[in-house]
Amino acid sequence: MKAIVITTGGGPEVLQLQQVEDPELKDDEVLIKVEATALNRADTLQRKGSYPPPKGASPYPGLECSGTIQAVGKNVLGWRVGDQVCALLSGGGYAEKVAVPAGQVLPIPLGVSLKEAAGLPEVACTVWSTVFMMSRLSARETFLVHGGSSGIGTFAIQIAKSKGATVFATAGNEEKLAFCKSLGADLCINYKTEDFVACIKEETGGKGVDVILDCIGAAYLQRNLDSLNFDGRLCIIGLQGGAVTEIKLNTLFPKRLTVQGAALRPRNPENKAMVVNEVEKNVWPEIVAGKVKPIIYKSFPLSEAGEAHKLMESNEHIGKILLVP
């Protein structure tokens, strides 16, 4: 098969389409003929050499895909050759075929095309596991997502609104802010020209928000804590603003704040299967009902993976970027 190989750590130009061996199918896996895969920020970090794949995972990038099952391992129940599916991967999505544990496979939701479904597994599993399973966002609570126009952000806005939360989002220009508003965000904050802490305090009558999903890390940590309500929960899923900082610990005590961190890729297959199962039960019905949809910005041929990475790193996109073998 053909796959995108990271020839050496570096810029987008190190991504090369090459002929490689087909994946070996284990007894608890299915083999998927890839219809499309979607970019994630982790792919760019892996390309640079700073986020290696977990032990035993495919060396090729790609953390999600959609496609058609070509083969099933002898211990697999519930999936058959010919089923159209999407899947959460530990790697290997930038290829014509990928093997994945059966517990990480999802049906295509009614009303979503096979190609578009490639942009669902990673965002759905990330947002549901962090915002809802860990941080327990509930109806009538307030929720802030940073990077509201990203793949994670556009999904988080929609699913939080569908579950009855009030949603605030940050983004960096008027086009992105307007798009967040169109998805249902109640307050959209331009982080380049506005102080998000002050905006949130004003909007909430000084209380702050109940849950924050943050992809920035160090640069926002103290301001995120200052933005939380009593019993507020901060979940950090990215470090785009650095990994090391100082905070005032006395911020935590009076408001009983919780700071959490999470990543999907390092989880073991059993944990991923549990998350995938929860997503199918809780998120898929919202997609079928039309309350949540995949937001696809642009598709590239697999051979142009480098161009797709340039677009992601320019931060000009809204939603997900796809690669199609």
Side-chain angles (χ1 to χ4, degrees), residues 243-258:
V244 179
T245 188
E246 287 189 1
I247 62 166
K248 298 190 287 286
L249 284 170
N250 59 5
T251 314
L252 303 174
F253 301 160
K255 293 198 286 184
R256 302 178 299 274
L257 303 183
T258 302

Side-chain angles (χ1 to χ4, degrees), residues 132-150:
F132 293 91
M133 294 171 71
M134 291 174 64
S135 300
R136 308 176 313 284
L137 180 69
S138 59
R140 294 181 296 280
E141 285 194 313
T142 48
F143 169 58
L144 167 65
V145 58
H146 290 297
S149 63
S150 66

Side-chain angles (χ1 to χ4, degrees), residues 163-178:
K163 298 297 184 182
T166 298
V167 177
F168 303 159
T170 62
N173 64 44
E174 292 309 311
E175 179 192 5
K176 291 179 176 181
L177 293 165

Side-chain angles (χ1 to χ4, degrees), residues 51 56 68 83 92-93 108 135 147 156-157 159 163 170 181 194 212 217 220 245 278 282 285 325:
Y51 192 41
T68 305
D83 285 347
I108 304 297
S135 300
I157 290 168
I159 192 67
K163 298 297 184 182
T170 62
K181 194 81 173 172
E194 298 176 280
I212 299 175
Y220 275 13
T245 188
E278 290 294 313
N282 294 287

